[in-house]
Amino acid sequence: MDYSSIYQLKYHMPKKEFKEGLFDLVFKEAKNKEEVGENKYIQIPKGVKSIGNYTFTGCKSLTSITIPDSVTSIGDSAFENCNSLTSATIPDSVTSIGYCAFYNCKSLTSITIPDSVTSIGYCTFESCNSLTSITIPESVKSIGIGAFAYCKSLTSISIPDSVTSIGNFAFCNCKSLTSITIPKQFESEINEIFKYVDLSLIKITCI
């Protein structure tokens, strides 16, 4: 069996390899799925190509994750509800970040989206309450509905003119924003994109 996917590692690994093989490389000392949530640091081994849907969902003690440059996709809800996660390194090899991938990672303070990513999915970073900064590269073409909703510590956002689609509520309730840079084509949609944000208090630059 091909173990290039973390989803396969977690759910389809034979018993012997489950105890002694790649699973331990990923989850350090955890010997079963239930103990994964007690680990504070995870280093995914090189050669893994994808992180499947829900792989690390609810690992509440996880503080740091290193993703190798062999990974090209991060699945839906891959790190959802990792409440202690403060940092995540996403390599330039990643082209796809799934829906709700980092949803409700309340301790995440900053993250850099690599130049290889072309879209930011639905609710990808929603409710990352400690997120103060985000860098959106010019490779990004679309930002999904609610992608950064309820990121209540986010102070500024710069959306490059490469972006051609922004979903409603993308930055809903981001009430700490003081500065917004956004392509001029979205000027008429800004109230829906930044729903429940008092735009009269914010410096808005249309490019």
Side-chain angles (χ1 to χ4, degrees):
M1 183 178 287
D2 177 13
Y3 298 127
S4 61
S5 165
I6 290 294
Y7 179 88
Q8 290 176 328
L9 284 175
K10 188 172 180 181
Y11 293 105
H12 299 295
M13 182 172 282
K15 185 174 181 180
K16 180 178 179 181
E17 292 185 79
F18 183 90
K19 291 181 178 180
E20 301 173 2
L22 291 174
F23 189 91
D24 288 341
L25 291 176
V26 177
F27 296 114
K28 299 295 183 180
E29 296 180 359
K31 295 298 186 291
N32 58 56
K33 180 181 172 183
E34 286 70 28
E35 293 179 16
V36 169
E38 300 303 317
N39 286 327
K40 294 185 177 181
Y41 172 73
I42 288 173
Q43 183 172 3
I44 298 170
K46 291 182 178 180
V48 170
K49 297 176 183 178
S50 64
I51 300 174
N53 299 346
Y54 307 103
T55 300
F56 298 105
T57 295
C59 290
K60 295 182 178 179
S61 297
L62 181 65
T63 61
S64 178
I65 181 81
T66 298
I67 300 170
D69 58 12
S70 57
V71 171
T72 59
S73 65
I74 298 173
D76 299 346
S77 299
F79 299 98
E80 180 177 340
N81 289 327
C82 291
N83 295 336
S84 299
L85 187 68
T86 58
S87 66
T89 302
I90 302 177
D92 289 341
S93 57
V94 172
T95 59
S96 172
I97 302 175
Y99 298 160
C100 300
F102 292 91
Y103 176 85
N104 204 35
C105 290
K106 295 181 178 180
S107 299
L108 192 66
T109 57
S110 66
I111 194 162
T112 300
I113 300 169
D115 291 340
S116 50
V117 171
T118 59
S119 66
I120 300 170
Y122 168 87
C123 297
T124 299
F125 297 100
E126 181 179 341
S127 295
C128 291
N129 295 337
S130 300
L131 191 66
T132 58
S133 65
I134 187 76
T135 300
I136 300 176
E138 292 188 0
S139 58
V140 171
K141 308 292 185 188
S142 64
I143 298 173
I145 296 171
F148 297 95
Y150 296 92
C151 290
K152 295 182 177 180
S153 298
L154 196 63
T155 57
S156 66
I157 187 70
S158 180
I159 302 171
D161 59 9
S162 60
V163 173
T164 58
S165 172
I166 304 177
N168 289 347
F169 313 113
F171 297 91
C172 170
N173 244 311
C174 294
K175 294 187 174 181
S176 294
L177 282 170
T178 59
S179 173
I180 296 170
T181 301
I182 190 169
K184 191 173 182 63
Q185 71 185 86
F186 298 107
E187 191 172 9
S188 63
E189 303 170 40
I190 198 166
N191 288 315
E192 292 302 313
I193 293 170
F194 293 91
K195 194 76 171 180
Y196 306 123
V197 175
D198 189 348
L199 296 174
S200 67
L201 302 176
I202 298 172
K203 179 183 178 182
I204 300 173
T205 303
C206 294
I207 56 174

